[in-house]
Amino acid sequence: MKLCRYGKDGYEKPGVIDAQGKLRDLSKIIANIDASTLAPRELERLSKIKPESLPLVTGNPRMGVPFTGISKYVAIGLNYSDHAAEAGMAVPTEPIIFYKATTSICGPDDDTIQPRNSTKLDWECELTIVIGSKAQYVSEEDSLNYVAGYCVANDVSERAFQLQSSQWDKGKGCDTFGPVGPWMVTKDEIPDPQNLHMWLDVNGKRMQDGNTKTMIFGVKKLVSYCSHYMTLLPGDIICTGTPPGVGMGIKPNPVWLKPGDVVELGIAGLGQQRQKILPAR
């Protein structure tokens, strides 16, 4: 099941994508897709609805964040060994955790606004885990029981801000730096999250071409690990790191995003995103 929200920012309606990839209106069934919708029992109820029985949405509406109620945007750094190498950093021996501000979260095709004083704007295609049940100190063996599904995310980064100190957060949490979606795919449709092709293009040129199978720490490990340091709530998301091909890693001259550039990215089975870079307001 592919759950989504569509419409103008702040006025999104709930939707579902049918087997033909068409958008269907869920608003007669549920008022919104929020943290409570991600509970196993509620997802099971929704899965019994035939998408073809729902009204077809015409046109090409804006896609919003697939669900509301994200209390934490947890991100994992350097989770692909070849990305760590291109960044000139050591391969981590345990997951590196940082956070993106929830005010950075936006729709998958919303514009990316380059912040004021930004000089090194970069991209990162990432598989995102969506938590469906409250998780505290869960085992690796049981960790997938707490997962509702998966999304695409672009961990937009301002490297000059990020690397000004040992704390990365200020280079990760600027407004529009957290596009999520276009939909959340429930975990039953993604039996192996460790074998998903992922890609990212800048102005039509392929920059990232990877696979989640090369993660250092997989989905099961990350959910369990994070739950030992914080309570994961329904609606929380964990971005799992990016494969090589980011702008910072291009040698000898890094490539940075600039106003007018277009970034497109996607993950097999999870859909794709498109962002245009706009100058600071």
Side-chain angles (χ1 to χ4, degrees), residues 207-248:
M207 307 302 288
Q208 289 188 281
D209 195 351
N211 193 292
T212 57
K213 67 185 177 184
T214 63
M215 281 184 189
I216 299 169
F217 307 106
V219 169
K220 291 182 180 180
K221 173 68 175 180
L222 292 177
V223 173
S224 173
Y225 185 89
C226 290
S227 78
H228 281 71
Y229 296 95
M230 68 197 77
T231 299
L232 298 171
L233 300 175
D236 286 351
I237 58 177
I238 304 173
C239 265
T240 59
T242 197
V246 300
M248 177 176 63

Side-chain angles (χ1 to χ4, degrees), residues 5-280:
R5 294 167 64 250
Y6 67 95
K8 292 182 179 180
D9 188 15
Y11 299 91
E12 293 92 345
K13 290 184 177 182
V16 64
I17 305 300
D18 68 19
Q20 287 72 46
K22 296 179 180 178
L23 175 60
R24 301 280 177 165
D25 181 15
L26 256 182
S27 61
K28 296 291 179 63
I29 308 296
I30 53 175
N32 196 8
I33 299 173
D34 57 20
S36 65
T37 314
L38 305 177
R41 183 176 297 180
E42 183 64 5
L43 289 179
E44 182 179 2
R45 181 181 78 87
L46 292 176
S47 71
K48 295 182 168 124
I49 299 168
K50 294 182 178 180
E52 292 74 15
S53 68
L54 301 171
L56 183 67
V57 178
T58 58
N60 187 29
R62 168 188 173 270
M63 302 300 287
V65 182
F67 50 92
T68 64
I70 301 173
S71 77
K72 288 186 290 299
Y73 188 134
V74 185
I76 307 300
L78 304 177
N79 196 29
Y80 290 72
S81 57
D82 35 13
H83 171 54
E86 73 174 355
M89 299 181 183
V91 174
T93 57
E94 61 180 273
I96 296 172
I97 295 175
F98 64 92
Y99 300 91
K100 291 176 77 82
T102 54
T103 48
S104 73
I105 300 170
C106 60
D109 300 330
D110 290 348
D111 297 328
T112 297
I113 310 300
Q114 184 173 29
R116 296 177 185 178
N117 304 311
S118 165
T119 58
K120 297 181 178 180
L121 191 63
D122 207 346
W123 59 83
E124 293 189 9
C125 177
E126 305 204 9
L127 171 69
T128 301
I129 306 164
V130 181
I131 300 299
S133 303
K134 182 178 178 180
Q136 293 174 294
Y137 298 105
V138 303
S139 69
E140 194 169 331
E141 293 73 24
D142 292 337
S143 61
L144 289 186
N145 292 329
Y146 298 83
V147 173
Y150 306 95
C151 292
V152 180
N154 183 2
D155 176 14
V156 183
S157 307
E158 214 304 327
R159 304 299 188 188
F161 297 173
Q162 177 188 352
L163 301 177
Q164 283 171 353
S165 74
S166 61
Q167 304 298 313
W168 294 353
D169 300 39
K170 71 179 180 182
K172 295 285 191 170
C174 302
D175 292 351
T176 72
F177 274 25
V180 177
W183 43 72
M184 185 204 76
V185 182
T186 50
K187 65 181 177 183
D188 58 294
E189 291 196 12
I190 308 293
D192 185 6
Q194 301 307 151
N195 189 22
L196 300 175
H197 177 244
M198 49 202 310
W199 58 271
L200 183 145
D201 294 347
V202 177
N203 299 328
K205 180 180 179 181
R206 184 60 45 95
M207 307 302 288
Q208 289 188 281
D209 195 351
N211 193 292
T212 57
K213 67 185 177 184
T214 63
M215 281 184 189
I216 299 169
F217 307 106
V219 169
K220 291 182 180 180
K221 173 68 175 180
L222 292 177
V223 173
S224 173
Y225 185 89
C226 290
S227 78
H228 281 71
Y229 296 95
M230 68 197 77
T231 299
L232 298 171
L233 300 175
D236 286 351
I237 58 177
I238 304 173
C239 265
T240 59
T242 197
V246 300
M248 177 176 63
I250 297 173
K251 304 293 189 300
N253 300 311
V255 174
W256 309 117
L257 295 170
K258 61 187 183 302
D261 287 345
V262 174
V263 179
E264 296 175 285
L265 61 147
I267 299 177
L270 301 182
Q272 61 187 66
Q273 304 183 349
R274 182 184 187 276
Q275 298 104 34
K276 184 175 181 180
I277 312 302
L278 297 184

